[in-house]
Amino acid sequence: MIELLPYQLPAHARWFPAGAPGPAALAEHVLTTGIGRFWADQAVQPRAIAVDCAAHVLLRGDPGALVPAELAPLGSRYIEAPARFLPVLGASFDRIMPWERMVYVQQEEPTSVARTPKGVAVRRITAADAGALAALGPGAAWIHASWGGPAGLAASGHAWGAFRQGEALAVACTYFLGSAYEDLAVVTAPDHRRRQLALGCVTALCADVTARGHTPSWSCSRHNRASRLLAWNAGFRLVREYVHHATGAPAVRGISGTRIPA
């Protein structure tokens, strides 16, 4: 696949309908922020298109337009695609692993009010907090990946955090910014979990999202009980389920260029 240039993107936005919750907001996020990439089998009248941001990918179109070697840029990603793409995905990477996922939308008030521990402040994150976000460490780097790094998230105006003496203990942010929905994410430092810090950050962020005229959504693994419980306590309710596939490294057998029947 080839990377589409920025001026080419608006013409291909129709491949990804706007105004949907969960990972469907990924394409809108890339178009709005410029963080991420669009890929296609060809620049003019493409038959298959992928949008890629923060290791998450939406893949649409005709799998018959692709050969396995062309999907190499989508290695080590989480790909959400119609089932007809599974044969070419399976031939393109040394492994693909299905993950069951759930999408929630905030429909009710939080079931409980977070109590902020003494000495901790829950507040909007500003550009001056970039260092505190970076200090969360590599294990938490995914939280700012969709904004291009800690400085991008800190300056975005789309994040709230729980701080103690300048240290970020928990961070909630808009992960994918859509025109109708904002898909949220949260991370808490391991030593500060089970203190309702995440709930406090998410509740404040949701109020922000609503004030912008958008609706908060939430995506997580079916097996992530902690995330599902947090979503429920913050007033989110399940609206749909889907499967995405974690890909491995590009498979050597894909180099031949043989097209895989869909």
Side-chain angles (χ1 to χ4, degrees):
M1 302 184 85
I2 61 172
E3 183 176 356
L4 297 177
L5 298 175
Y7 77 87
Q8 297 171 314
L9 303 188
H12 300 308
R14 62 178 177 78
W15 286 75
F16 304 96
L26 189 158
E28 291 182 301
H29 179 85
V30 175
L31 287 168
T32 300
T33 67
I35 307 298
R37 297 177 175 182
F38 274 75
W39 303 90
D41 63 311
Q42 55 192 26
V44 179
Q45 296 185 333
R47 293 171 56 199
I49 286 185
V51 57
D52 174 15
C53 181
H56 288 265
V57 174
L58 301 180
L59 178 60
R60 299 291 185 266
D62 178 8
L66 301 170
V67 298
E70 293 175 336
L71 288 173
L74 305 184
S76 300
R77 300 288 197 277
Y78 300 102
I79 300 180
E80 194 267 299
R84 62 181 179 271
F85 279 94
L86 289 179
V88 71
L89 288 174
S92 298
F93 305 103
D94 61 3
R95 63 175 175 84
I96 60 168
M97 181 181 299
W99 282 37
E100 296 177 321
R101 304 278 294 176
M102 311 182 83
V103 175
Y104 297 80
V105 169
Q106 191 181 44
Q107 298 175 344
E108 301 180 12
E109 294 296 318
T111 60
S112 61
V113 177
R115 293 181 174 86
T116 305
K118 185 177 180 180
V120 175
V122 173
R123 61 170 175 80
R124 186 189 306 277
I125 290 174
T126 70
D129 297 312
L133 297 185
L136 286 167
W142 65 270
I143 194 68
H144 44 67
S146 65
W147 291 93
L153 177 59
S156 71
H158 290 273
W160 283 70
F163 291 86
R164 184 182 62 192
Q165 297 180 347
E167 178 188 8
L169 310 181
V171 173
C173 70
T174 295
Y175 206 66
F176 294 132
L177 175 61
S179 59
Y181 292 91
E182 298 187 26
D183 204 47
L184 310 188
V186 64
V187 66
T188 304
D191 293 341
H192 297 282
R193 292 171 182 165
R194 297 184 175 87
R195 301 177 64 193
Q196 295 191 318
L197 299 178
L199 179 60
C201 293
V202 170
T203 300
L205 176 60
C206 285
D208 239 12
V209 172
T210 302
R212 286 191 284 271
H214 293 169
T215 301
S217 68
W218 187 278
S219 306
C220 67
S221 166
R222 168 186 284 276
H223 304 292
N224 191 339
R225 185 178 182 276
S227 184
R228 293 173 60 187
L229 181 60
L230 175 58
W232 179 268
N233 288 337
F236 290 79
R237 298 296 179 262
L238 181 67
V239 294
R240 80 177 183 95
E241 300 180 44
Y242 71 101
V243 175
H244 70 195
H245 289 79
T247 61
V252 174
R253 67 180 181 273
I255 294 177
S256 65
T258 302
R259 297 191 183 277
I260 306 297

